[in-house]
Amino acid sequence: MAESINTDEREVRESKNFIENIIENDIDKNSYQRSVKTRFPPEPNGYLHIGHAKSICLNFSMAAKYDGGCNLRFDDTNPTKEDTEYVEAIKEDVKWLGFDWSELRFASDYFDTMYECAVKLIKKGKAFVCELNADEMREYRGTLTEPGKESPYRNRSAEENLKLFEEMKNGKYPDGAMVLRAKIDMTSPNMNMRDPVIYRISHLPHHNSGDKWCVYPMYDFAHPIEDAIEGVTHSICTMEFEDHRPLYEWVLAETEWENPPKQIEFARLNITNTLMSKRYLKELVDNGTVESWDDPRLPTISGLRRRGYTPEAVRDFCERIGVAKSNSIVEIGQLENCVREDLKNRVESRNVILDPLKVVITNYPDNKTEECELENNKEVEEMGTRMVPFSRELYVEREDFMEVPVKKYFRLFPGNEVRFKGAYFITCEEVIKDDAGNVTELRCTYDPETRSGSGFEGRKVKGTIHWVDAKTAEKITVREFDYLKIEDENGTEIMNPDTMKIFEAYAEPAIKDSKPGTRYQFFRHGYYIEDTKLSSEENKVFNQIVGLKSSWKPKK
Ligand code: ATP
Ligand code: MG
């Protein structure tokens, strides 16, 4: 199965995506007379999520592929929601993903140029100061089926507009008193072209420019100018900006840039079983549904990092899903598969018992301990082996025992013999229960002839299970996670009320060598990482990264 996915993927990767076709065509025609330049332009109003990772991978990889550059630009033209905490977090996330920006820019550093551009529009008779209030503005705007009406302020002279705009800038008017609008076409079928607002008044301090400005450019006016200033050639954004493209082009044409950038839209990434908008993610953080922006349950880049996902896996995922124009929802299992595939050959294995059941080997000497050799990674021989102690009392997983076995159950049940991996063949002889009838202990015997590696060729057993020596076991805390969104019985996605399970587990003593951030395969369970925030020498805490088995299957 894995083989067939890979062949399909390879074919997809070899064919070019539509953005590559556009860029190559521009290179052939030397449309820009400069090298390819892209940018990743987050607004610093929250942490980045896996959707942003798709945009980051796309922008940086296009620049790299065509020997160009990619800027990291903070699109910080709105003073209300922005914060320097987010700026630092975003930088860290982009670096962690493995990308280096050519230049680090802040859109707010361009406020002077943007102001000049607005003045230029006014002088050309292409912008006017409008004093309609919000309700009137809405009414004048028209609808999708009806044209809008021109503002009564539309035909002010350039001199009057210049004077008012300067007074707006100098703080003469309160928030909302007036705005600067582009003069385009109130009858345009594209609502974005109906004299859009390009500057508004806001007396809030800005995280970068402080109190210097009290007028701020609107996104649709600011963004094309930011791109042009930085010499961007291909301004890649998501589909919801498709209808804004005529305005993007209008701004660049009217403010007279040579070889202006071009906007290209692609479909936003959506993933099942999770949430993907900074606004909703912030809500979960603020209302305490999750602990922080880097909570391992969140699809934020910092959450995925803490969860134990690798940058390689995230990049691989972004490449595999490809770029398209039509919106679709990607199965979360596809992301998990990338993580699994990446970790499979990289991390060492450890024996950990998550739900312990005690086993006593009644014919094993009381004071003896043996060292059993276990491979660190069964796929990669070069990763070597480690020694794991074995003695009379051990723990096994409760689910590896059934008092009354179902059909095809080959693990422990009364009278059955199984292999304890790396040690001996063990037979379950007797089941001990407490007063309530719960199984508390298994009395077993071992066959000394069957020691692993001894060349024993006698009987075969069908079941192999893992174990931990009770005397030397290390207690650790394990945190396992479930999806933020699940389907209810009608198939509708709802918020999952139960997303984290915290419990104690027993690990083989080698777990003591682990450091925060070290990943392991907990043998037969899945991949886990020592938490970077909560873990300590005294109490090691591990996060589940992903289970071993995939429930996701590629479509045929
Ligand atoms: P959100 O809706 O989560 O707040 P946003 O689009 O407002 O996201 P920005 O900071 O404005 O976030 O986005 C920076 C860049 O990341 C933009 O170019 C945007 O198109 C892109 N981006 C955001 N979300 C996704 C997504 N789900 N898939 C692909 N690209 C995305
Ligand atoms: Mg946004």
Side-chain angles (χ1 to χ4, degrees):
M1 188 190 70
E3 282 308 318
S4 76
I5 313 173
N6 288 340
T7 347
D8 290 354
E9 299 291 336
R10 225 172 288 129
E11 278 161 22
V12 172
R13 283 180 209 190
E14 275 165 15
S15 69
K16 286 183 190 115
N17 69 47
F18 76 97
I19 296 179
E20 290 168 324
N21 287 329
I22 294 173
I23 296 177
E24 288 182 19
N25 189 35
D26 283 329
I27 293 173
D28 288 346
K29 293 197 305 210
N30 196 16
S31 313
Y32 291 98
Q33 287 147 41
R34 57 182 187 266
S35 53
V36 169
K37 185 77 174 253
T38 57
R39 84 289 173 262
F40 173 64
E43 191 181 350
N45 61 351
Y47 281 61
L48 299 181
H49 51 64
I50 179 106
H52 294 111
K54 178 174 178 182
S55 173
I56 293 169
C57 289
L58 184 58
N59 279 295
F60 281 92
S61 68
M62 288 301 98
K65 178 163 182 180
Y66 298 107
D67 292 322
C70 180
N71 287 359
L72 172 60
R73 178 206 309 150
F74 288 99
D75 206 336
D76 56 352
T77 53
N78 177 357
T80 50
K81 298 171 291 179
E82 295 161 1
D83 203 304
T84 22
E85 174 200 343
Y86 300 133
V87 170
E88 292 312 312
I90 289 170
K91 285 187 340 203
E92 187 184 351
D93 288 348
V94 174
K95 277 192 223 149
W96 178 78
L97 275 173
F99 297 109
D100 263 331
W101 45 85
S102 340
E103 298 159 80
L104 180 68
R105 299 295 193 103
F106 288 85
S108 54
D109 288 338
Y110 310 147
F111 282 156
D112 285 297
T113 308
M114 291 173 190
Y115 185 82
E116 283 159 27
C117 287
V119 166
K120 184 175 210 160
L121 289 185
I122 294 174
K123 286 183 177 160
K124 291 171 76 174
K126 298 284 182 177
F128 64 100
V129 172
C130 182
E131 288 166 65
L132 291 179
N133 65 32
D135 287 339
E136 292 164 332
M137 188 93 80
R138 207 170 302 121
E139 194 195 312
Y140 274 74
R141 200 159 176 240
T143 64
L144 282 173
T145 49
E146 286 165 49
K149 275 189 306 188
E150 292 187 352
S151 160
Y153 304 100
R154 197 175 199 259
N155 295 313
R156 282 179 153 146
S157 66
E159 292 69 38
E160 191 184 356
N161 280 317
L162 281 175
K163 177 174 153 283
L164 286 169
F165 189 47
E166 194 173 349
E167 287 172 352
M168 279 169 67
K169 181 191 77 163
N170 292 338
K172 188 164 176 195
Y173 306 108
D175 292 8
M178 52 188 71
V179 293
L180 185 71
R181 295 175 71 179
K183 196 191 277 191
I184 310 181
D185 179 4
M186 288 308 290
T187 65
S188 171
N190 183 336
M191 302 281 280
N192 296 305
M193 300 298 272
R194 294 185 187 172
D195 294 3
V197 175
I198 59 176
Y199 257 93
R200 71 203 159 95
I201 302 171
S202 170
H203 288 272
L204 281 176
H206 185 275
H207 82 103
N208 184 25
S209 59
D211 292 328
K212 181 174 175 204
W213 294 90
C214 63
V215 288
Y216 291 94
M218 302 299 285
Y219 179 90
D220 282 336
F221 178 68
H223 206 87
I225 295 174
E226 294 160 22
D227 286 341
I229 291 172
E230 293 174 21
V232 166
T233 53
H234 300 85
S235 176
I236 303 172
C237 64
T238 40
M239 285 311 293
E240 68 273 21
F241 291 101
E242 192 175 30
D243 290 343
H244 298 238
R245 193 187 334 135
L247 180 52
Y248 182 94
E249 289 168 356
W250 183 92
V251 170
L252 291 173
E254 294 298 341
T255 53
E256 300 171 22
W257 295 87
E258 253 173 68
N259 296 324
K262 94 163 32 123
Q263 175 179 307
I264 306 170
E265 310 87 16
F266 73 101
R268 208 166 244 279
L269 170 65
N270 292 298
I271 301 183
T272 59
N273 300 95
T274 190
L275 292 169
M276 198 130 47
S277 158
K278 274 183 280 192
R279 190 155 54 90
Y280 294 128
L281 296 172
K282 186 169 189 320
E283 218 171 283
L284 296 184
V285 176
D286 290 345
N287 72 18
T289 305
V290 296
E291 287 163 6
S292 51
W293 279 102
D294 66 356
D295 189 299
R297 290 167 288 185
L298 290 183
T300 51
I301 311 237
S302 51
L304 299 178
R305 174 165 64 234
R306 192 160 158 214
R307 177 77 176 255
Y309 283 27
T310 58
E312 291 83 357
V314 176
R315 290 199 306 261
D316 181 37
F317 170 73
C318 291
E319 198 178 317
R320 283 181 191 219
I321 54 178
V323 284
K325 282 251 176 207
S326 59
N327 280 308
S328 64
I329 303 182
V330 175
E331 292 280 340
I332 197 158
Q334 219 170 325
L335 173 60
E336 292 169 349
N337 252 7
C338 292
V339 176
R340 225 176 258 122
E341 263 184 46
D342 182 45
L343 294 180
K344 190 170 74 186
N345 297 327
R346 283 169 62 155
V347 304
E348 292 193 2
S349 177
R350 292 289 180 265
N351 276 1
V352 176
I353 301 296
L354 301 179
D355 184 12
L357 175 62
K358 191 165 209 181
V359 165
V360 178
I361 317 283
T362 52
N363 60 340
Y364 194 88
D366 212 2
N367 45 13
K368 180 173 169 184
T369 294
E370 283 177 79
E371 296 291 327
C372 296
E373 188 171 19
L374 287 176
E375 56 210 338
N376 285 328
N377 185 318
K378 68 176 193 290
E379 315 283 335
V380 188
E381 216 188 309
E382 303 80 71
M383 287 178 72
T385 60
R386 67 188 187 285
M387 303 311 283
V388 181
F390 176 94
S391 68
R392 191 167 192 269
E393 295 194 358
L394 307 156
Y395 293 114
V396 298
E397 290 294 345
R398 202 161 267 279
E399 64 175 22
D400 285 336
F401 168 76
M402 277 187 107
E403 191 166 14
V404 183
V406 294
K407 226 171 151 185
K408 297 212 170 148
Y409 189 84
F410 300 123
R411 291 171 270 167
L412 285 168
F413 55 85
N416 193 41
E417 184 172 55
V418 301
R419 183 199 310 272
F420 273 34
K421 183 153 173 86
Y424 294 96
F425 285 13
I426 309 277
T427 304
C428 175
E429 309 283 357
E430 191 187 350
V431 182
I432 310 292
K433 295 181 183 175
D434 63 12
D435 293 344
N438 302 311
V439 176
T440 54
E441 189 181 305
L442 303 178
R443 298 269 162 92
C444 300
T445 53
Y446 85 116
D447 178 349
E449 302 298 309
T450 58
R451 167 95 202 225
S452 224
S454 67
F456 172 72
E457 290 278 353
R459 311 178 296 280
K460 295 270 179 277
V461 288
K462 280 193 167 153
T464 300
I465 66 171
H466 73 289
W467 47 273
V468 161
D469 172 53
K471 211 166 32 209
T472 53
E474 280 290 312
K475 249 193 196 162
I476 60 171
T477 300
V478 173
R479 307 200 303 163
E480 293 191 344
F481 310 103
D482 198 358
Y483 299 130
L484 288 174
K485 282 170 119 187
I486 48 173
E487 282 187 2
D488 69 7
E489 55 278 15
N490 306 317
T492 341
E493 272 205 332
I494 53 161
M495 289 305 291
N496 184 355
D498 199 12
T499 52
M500 180 158 60
K501 209 165 78 187
I502 305 178
F503 54 92
E504 284 197 325
Y506 289 115
E508 60 170 273
I511 206 79
K512 281 196 292 248
D513 301 336
S514 171
K515 296 274 170 296
T518 314
R519 300 177 182 86
Y520 295 103
Q521 183 189 122
F522 285 180
F523 188 63
R524 296 175 67 220
H525 289 301
Y527 297 98
Y528 292 77
I529 184 169
E530 185 173 340
D531 191 75
T532 46
K533 266 191 173 171
L534 303 173
S535 202
S536 64
E537 282 296 321
E538 303 73 52
N539 182 19
K540 288 196 174 288
V541 179
F542 285 84
N543 297 326
Q544 177 192 42
I545 306 172
V546 66
L548 274 190
K549 282 197 200 71
S550 154
S551 54
W552 179 79
K553 303 238 161 43
K555 291 200 182 74
K556 284 266 151 57

